[in-house]
Amino acid sequence: MDFRLSEDQRALRTGIRELLAGRFARDRMRATLDGGGGVGRELWRELGAAGLFALRLPGTAGGVGLGLPESVLMFDEIGRSLLPGPLAATELAAGVVKGAAEGEAVVALAEAGRPVGHLAQADALLVLDGDRARVLTGGALRQVLREARPVRSLDPGTPLWRVPDLAAHDGEPLPEGARLRREGALLTAAEQLGSAARSLEAAVQHAGEREQFGAPIGAFQAVKHLCAGMLVRAETARTAVYAAAVTADPVEIAGAKLLADDAAVGNARDCLQVHGGMGFTWEADVHLHLKRAWLRSGQWLTAADAEEVLAADLA
Amino acid sequence: MDLSYTDEEEEFRARLREWLASALPGLPGRPDPGDWPGRRAYDTGWQRLLYDAGYAGLHWPADAGGRGATPTQHLIFLEETERAGAPYVGANFVGLLHAGPTIAAEGTAAQRARWLPPVLRGDEVWCQGFSEPEAGSDLASLRTRAVRDGDDYVVSGQKIWTSHAEVADWCELLVRTDPAAPRHRGISWLAMRMDAPGVTVRPLRTLAGSTEFAEMFLDEVRVPVSHRVGEENDGWRVTMVTLSFERGTAFVGEVVACRRTLDALAAEARRSGRWDDAVLRRRLGRLNAEFRALWRLTQWNVSEAQSTGGVPGTGGSVFKLRYSHARQELYEAAAEVLGAGDALDLDREWVLDRLSSLSYTIAAGTSQIQRNIVAERILGLPKGR
């Protein structure tokens, strides 16, 4: 047993981190939000070219032939960067929806009773209803868009639409809906992990620089203990998510999503607190991580659903 | 990220399982928690069985009498012994996980030969004389004095929270040998016989009603200079070696036990009908996520330790913070499963465990101290107030 990342996995992670740092640095991220959020098609294609969406497709299907652990590492990096878009749904649709693997298509996610993100830009819609899944494209998708109405989205990076009951809309049924839902939950948990780690870094950096009462605020136990709590949350969630990526076990994935949601939301809140008044401003990025974390907490597997899965596992 | 075990490790696990299946049925019943001589006999008897079967000091280096097992093998050992319901390390805790590894790392050849084999065989029990009334979490402010007199130190002072003091043969004792030196510098690490003249042990009653630990009064106790481990006034460094062992894998078995307890709670809730309460059911589900993650965190820490030659890193503090809190949450949930009547009945095992869980955020470094360690040593925040 050696739980640590292999050399190849480290290299993969470094690669995507460098790509995002070069192409989606903070000014670019801010400009995207100011423009109403949404998917940057050019970057989407670059991520496709880097293999993000095709990572798990076999080589014979034009993929990279890697596994869930590698996808999780990539999504972890994406979570740090605040890159918007239905990334998990598009990754899961690679090999099913034309162009998804290459980053040419955007596949949005629709779950019963929840608003749909990035609907206007979507080339396909992955509809999840419990453990059933289907894909809407073409005329069916256009009709959904006509009937939908935009929501003033809490997350400035994710434009949202309320859609009518999708049961009436035909789509192409997908096998293994339960697996798609689990894997979507895991990839989303990985994004939460990256966000939690980024919030921790921001808090620690601020606590080391900001001076009050003649000392950096990070010298005060009250602030130190907030930061320590953030690390504990992030590291506990990290091992849960990584392990779930290795085992792909449904119960373990439920635990990973639950703890990663907690880590992303909790760390963003504590980061805001460490930043004091500055944390409550639009200029600080803290709120962006919090809002995205809230959004992701409601996708694929909510806390209530995850807890039921975990409870059912007990003897 | 490889969570699989090698053939060699699986073989080790299989042999261990086989041995446990043959050894455990012959064990005597567990003694009453208040029966200290009985507990000592039970724990050292188990240690002797381990020794005879070649499992004593598994993770100790071979030249200290151990088996030189890898951290992963040690993890398997802790997992399997707990799963099989084998006895805990109990009274041998300080000798096996604390004093022994410290003597192995820092002691002379003569000291290793004198003290290590009896620990491995279960012949001698150690206790820990670190904490004092004025020096708990602030260990470096300890006051117990040792004054050199010929070939002896003459030791006077008071220790507190000393587990197993009533039945211990030896004490790993921290004393101040140079009162004029800066507080971390004038400390030495001594091995003191518990039956030496001048040693008085007075049991302390815990909030659970038991005598888990004791006060220890030292009145001009003579300890040979040859019983000092490490250099004079270098005891703080020696102690840090000790503490890094303490937090490494000390709680592995307990995490496995907590998962078993959680299963038992769910079964009880199903039996009593409380399982229909969605809030309670979901609370137990969340605890399942918690203890599964803690197990994975252990594997992560062991993997890290493997790359640093077995010395556990600061990941131990992260683990201890989360685990001590989760354990308390587990027994709060247990009280809810039991319901108002049974949750007040001290004859229910879960009720006693609820009480003892309160010590977890205090013992072996309080949560507050652990957070300082995490903030300063891992996150690099400035030292301060």
Side-chain angles (χ1 to χ4, degrees):
Chain A
M1 181 203 70
D2 188 357
F3 200 172
R4 290 172 307 151
L5 272 54
S6 68
E7 282 303 317
D8 286 349
Q9 287 169 336
R10 281 173 206 279
L12 189 73
R13 189 174 67 175
T14 307
I16 192 87
R17 183 176 291 198
E18 283 169 359
L19 171 68
L20 288 167
R23 302 304 318 272
F24 198 67
R26 185 172 184 274
D27 53 348
R28 178 85 181 272
M29 181 269 286
R30 280 285 176 168
T32 302
L33 300 188
D34 292 344
V39 173
R41 288 280 182 172
E42 200 185 328
L43 181 55
W44 203 260
R45 275 187 210 104
E46 278 182 58
L47 290 171
L52 175 78
F53 301 116
L55 205 63
R56 293 194 290 139
L57 288 181
T60 49
V64 189
L66 293 172
L68 265 180
E70 285 76 20
S71 276
V72 155
L73 292 174
M74 304 275 261
F75 276 73
D76 187 345
E77 287 303 319
I78 281 167
R80 296 173 61 92
S81 75
L82 275 171
L83 182 75
L87 291 139
T90 304
E91 200 264 25
L92 288 168
V96 177
V97 170
K98 191 167 171 293
E102 297 79 22
E104 296 293 337
V106 172
V107 183
L109 170 71
E111 295 178 273
R114 301 179 205 168
V116 175
H118 308 280
L119 182 64
Q121 284 182 290
D123 303 295
L125 192 60
L126 175 63
V127 183
L128 273 192
D129 185 4
D131 285 344
R132 279 174 315 181
R134 62 190 199 279
V135 173
L136 267 55
T137 50
L141 176 59
R142 281 193 295 277
Q143 194 183 338
V144 170
L145 188 56
R146 270 197 303 278
E147 294 168 4
R149 108 189 129 71
V151 176
R152 251 167 33 91
S153 174
L154 174 80
D155 173 13
T158 309
L160 292 175
W161 281 263
R162 276 190 213 285
V163 294
D165 184 3
L166 294 176
H169 295 269
D170 286 337
E172 183 195 342
L174 289 186
E176 298 187 279
R179 178 183 64 82
L180 292 180
R181 187 169 178 222
R182 283 201 300 274
E183 293 183 358
L186 181 64
L187 297 178
T188 306
E191 285 186 77
Q192 297 285 54
L193 207 55
S195 175
R198 184 69 199 105
S199 289
L200 169 62
E201 280 173 20
V204 168
Q205 187 182 355
H206 185 77
E209 289 168 358
R210 169 77 170 163
E211 292 199 3
Q212 295 272 273
F213 306 102
I217 60 171
F220 296 101
Q221 275 198 349
V223 175
K224 267 192 189 139
H225 287 193
L226 272 178
C227 294
M230 292 168 77
L231 180 81
V232 171
R233 252 188 234 124
E235 290 307 295
T236 308
R238 176 176 308 282
T239 47
V241 171
Y242 285 6
V246 174
T247 65
D249 173 73
V251 180
E252 200 144 11
I253 288 177
K257 178 66 164 48
L258 185 68
L259 297 181
D261 285 346
D262 279 0
V265 171
N267 279 13
R269 293 184 69 122
D270 284 352
C271 180
L272 198 155
Q273 181 69 22
V274 169
H275 277 74
M278 289 177 213
F280 196 65
T281 65
W282 192 266
E283 282 68 32
D285 292 346
V286 184
H287 68 108
L288 302 175
H289 279 282
L290 181 57
K291 291 164 178 172
R292 188 70 55 82
W294 275 333
L295 176 89
R296 287 189 289 238
S297 296
Q299 292 176 329
W300 301 99
L301 201 60
T302 61
D305 290 343
E307 283 165 354
E308 291 290 1
V309 170
L310 287 150
D313 169 63
L314 294 172
Chain B
M1 282 186 244
D2 182 6
L3 289 172
S4 62
Y5 294 93
T6 63
D7 290 348
E8 200 185 345
E9 286 161 349
E10 289 296 0
E11 205 183 298
F12 172 80
R13 186 192 295 275
R15 272 202 316 272
L16 176 59
R17 266 191 196 170
E18 203 174 311
W19 179 73
L20 285 167
S22 69
L24 292 179
L27 278 188
R30 278 181 211 260
D32 185 84
D35 173 12
W36 274 101
R39 283 172 66 176
R40 177 189 159 122
Y42 182 83
D43 294 344
T44 53
W46 169 243
Q47 183 59 31
R48 180 67 201 212
L49 281 180
L50 288 174
Y51 179 83
D52 290 340
Y55 290 114
L58 201 62
H59 61 302
W60 286 20
D63 63 2
R67 314 288 299 178
T70 63
T72 301
Q73 284 174 323
H74 189 216
L75 185 77
I76 292 170
F77 174 79
L78 295 167
E79 187 185 6
E80 290 299 327
T81 45
E82 177 52 47
R83 188 171 284 161
Y88 295 110
V89 62
N92 301 304
F93 181 88
V94 172
L96 277 173
L97 298 173
H98 243 255
T102 305
I103 293 164
E106 299 286 332
T108 63
Q111 289 173 335
R112 289 155 65 119
R114 166 62 190 87
W115 284 313
L116 299 183
V119 167
L120 292 176
R121 283 195 304 263
D123 291 344
E124 290 183 344
V125 167
W126 286 67
C127 65
Q128 185 186 54
F130 281 15
S131 294
E132 296 185 7
E134 304 300 324
S137 290
D138 183 12
L139 194 54
S141 68
L142 64 90
R143 290 178 184 168
T144 294
R145 285 284 313 275
V147 180
R148 189 87 173 244
D149 179 29
D151 289 338
D152 289 341
Y153 289 108
V154 179
V155 181
S156 292
Q158 185 189 347
K159 296 288 174 179
I160 198 167
W161 321 131
T162 310
S163 301
H164 306 113
E166 288 176 82
V167 293
D169 305 289
W170 292 91
C171 176
E172 51 168 1
L173 191 72
L174 286 186
V175 295
R176 193 162 289 288
T177 33
D178 181 1
R183 34 191 241 126
H184 292 87
R185 301 257 171 83
I187 294 171
S188 299
W189 195 106
L190 304 181
M192 178 184 77
R193 280 206 70 92
M194 288 298 284
D195 60 3
V199 178
T200 308
V201 171
R202 195 163 73 195
L204 288 166
R205 197 163 181 218
T206 72
L207 56 76
S210 59
T211 52
E212 280 301 306
F213 44 44
E215 292 179 291
M216 198 161 59
F217 299 90
L218 308 171
D219 182 17
E220 302 199 339
V221 181
R222 297 191 83 86
V223 177
V225 172
S226 63
H227 287 190
R228 187 190 69 228
V229 173
E231 294 301 308
E232 187 169 273
N233 299 327
D234 195 29
W236 186 257
R237 189 188 58 76
V238 178
T239 299
M240 288 303 109
V241 171
T242 309
L243 290 182
S244 73
F245 284 104
E246 180 173 6
R247 289 179 199 133
T249 44
F251 301 102
V252 169
E254 294 192 6
V255 172
V256 180
C258 283
R259 284 179 61 176
R260 273 215 322 238
T261 300
L262 193 55
D263 277 335
L265 276 178
E268 171 95 3
R270 284 202 170 97
R271 193 190 56 72
S272 67
R274 294 186 64 80
W275 191 253
D276 296 338
D277 175 349
V279 175
L280 178 62
R281 191 174 65 237
R282 285 180 49 187
R283 186 173 175 185
L284 297 179
R286 179 169 281 267
L287 282 164
N288 189 10
E290 197 67 40
F291 287 106
R292 280 168 168 270
L294 283 162
W295 176 249
R296 295 309 189 186
L297 192 53
T298 301
Q299 289 182 313
W300 182 268
N301 285 342
V302 166
S303 296
E304 293 273 307
Q306 210 132 244
S307 69
T308 58
V311 178
T314 36
S317 290
V318 172
F319 176 86
K320 186 182 181 280
L321 276 165
R322 187 88 182 196
Y323 171 64
S324 56
H325 180 71
R327 188 179 176 96
Q328 290 173 358
E329 289 292 308
L330 174 67
Y331 288 105
E332 289 311 302
E336 202 176 322
V337 170
L338 289 171
D342 282 358
L344 297 174
D345 180 352
L346 273 176
D347 284 331
R348 296 298 302 251
E349 193 186 345
W350 288 338
V351 179
L352 266 182
D353 287 340
R354 183 189 189 189
L355 292 176
S356 74
S357 78
L358 297 171
S359 73
Y360 277 72
T361 44
I362 300 170
T366 66
S367 290
Q368 285 64 37
I369 291 297
Q370 302 293 346
R371 288 193 190 98
N372 285 353
I373 291 172
V374 167
E376 290 171 10
R377 296 194 208 153
I378 304 181
L379 296 176
L381 285 170
K383 288 225 169 225
R385 330 167 197 196

